[in-house]
Amino acid sequence: DTGVSQDPRHKITKRGQNVTFRCDPISEHNRLYWYRQTLGQGPEFLTYFQNEAQLEKSRLLSDRFSAERPKGSFSTLEIQRTEQGDSAMYLCASSSGQGGSPLHFGNGTRLTVT
Amino acid sequence: QQQVKQSPQSLIVQKGGISIINCAYENTAFDYFPWYQQFPGKGPALLIAIRPDVSEKKEGRFTISFNKSAKQFSLHIMDSQPGDSATYFCAASGDAGNMLTFGGGTRLMVKP
């Protein structure tokens, strides 16, 4: 169990550019979650997957945000046409999916939009 | 109705003292209440969680107290240590823990 891995740890981009983040969950976990955390705030739920199925995506912040988990293993979160307000920490978490199983968070990708 | 309100925003406690952090929620559909600890540069890590069928849960120095009628729950850290200095988040969920709603966080500093 190497934990949830996120790449890159830091990303600096210019406004208007597209960015993609990757998350590798704990290997036996079939649920994968994306959260966003702005400075001084608690994480905010964005979306989650059960295997390759995206079960909830209504909380994605705008249509510029999209997530995929094509083979039910790793996941990507893409932000198109980035804006300065997108600057935040993007956290990925995974769980076994059994009732009340805890979420294990990665250390996040910090995005700075200049 | 999705909010979870957490207080205080910051807390300073002497080593060996008791740290108390409080949370309140509105959504009566919430049925899972975890507490997370976060160190700078790290993701949140689950400390302890409770469901509303019990009023208290203790794990080591950490205790959750839950008041269903008041829609409030709190975290007590006994014998607080400098290594406990971190940001603590309460959270709540109504769907077996999938879509957590987090409080705003409490930055705890334990002075030696």
Side-chain angles (χ1 to χ4, degrees):
Chain A
D1 179 0
T2 57
V4 176
S5 176
Q6 292 189 246
D7 184 69
R9 287 300 312 276
H10 304 275
K11 177 71 176 179
I12 300 174
T13 191
K14 293 186 177 180
R15 188 176 53 188
Q17 298 295 304
N18 299 342
V19 294
T20 300
F21 311 139
R22 177 180 171 123
C23 172
D24 287 89
I26 293 171
S27 58
E28 63 269 26
H29 285 179
N30 56 23
R31 290 198 176 172
L32 186 148
Y33 310 79
W34 286 99
Y35 283 77
R36 183 178 82 156
Q37 186 174 25
T38 53
L39 201 60
Q41 300 297 317
E44 176 186 13
F45 172 83
L46 297 178
T47 187
Y48 88 98
F49 295 85
Q50 165 92 18
N51 299 315
E52 66 274 13
Q54 192 171 12
L55 298 186
E56 174 59 56
K57 57 182 179 180
S58 67
R59 306 276 187 91
L60 285 167
L61 299 164
S62 79
D63 58 7
R64 297 185 297 106
F65 287 70
S66 63
E68 293 184 342
R69 194 183 183 196
K71 297 182 180 179
S73 56
F74 73 93
S75 175
T76 58
L77 178 70
E78 181 181 17
I79 308 174
Q80 296 183 330
R81 306 181 302 282
T82 53
E83 301 172 357
Q84 286 189 320
D86 297 333
S87 296
M89 176 76 81
Y90 290 85
L91 292 164
C92 177
S94 69
S95 77
S96 67
Q98 297 172 9
S101 56
L103 270 63
H104 297 261
F105 282 88
N107 289 330
T109 293
R110 181 165 293 285
L111 173 66
T112 302
V113 182
T114 62
Chain B
Q1 201 177 23
Q2 289 294 320
Q3 276 193 322
V4 176
K5 295 182 179 179
Q6 184 171 345
S7 63
Q9 286 187 315
S10 63
L11 181 61
I12 300 174
V13 173
Q14 291 295 127
K15 179 182 175 182
I18 302 173
S19 305
I20 302 174
I21 305 170
N22 301 298
C23 282
Y25 64 97
E26 290 294 326
N27 189 343
T28 54
F30 287 153
D31 63 0
Y32 175 69
F33 303 89
W35 285 89
Y36 282 81
Q37 179 189 57
Q38 187 174 30
F39 293 104
K42 301 292 187 181
L46 179 68
L47 264 180
I48 185 171
I50 197 168
R51 293 196 179 273
D53 52 341
V54 296
S55 60
E56 186 175 282
K57 182 174 181 180
K58 182 176 181 180
E59 290 184 0
R61 296 185 294 112
F62 301 93
T63 300
I64 298 179
S65 297
F66 183 82
N67 185 329
K68 187 174 181 179
S69 61
K71 292 185 285 187
Q72 294 175 348
F73 58 111
S74 60
L75 176 70
H76 295 230
I77 305 174
M78 312 300 287
D79 186 26
S80 299
Q81 298 297 312
D84 296 331
S85 297
T87 300
Y88 292 80
F89 294 96
C90 62
S93 170
D95 62 343
N98 287 311
M99 294 187 290
L100 291 171
T101 298
F102 281 82
T106 296
R107 182 174 291 185
L108 172 66
M109 179 185 297
V110 181
K111 289 193 167 183

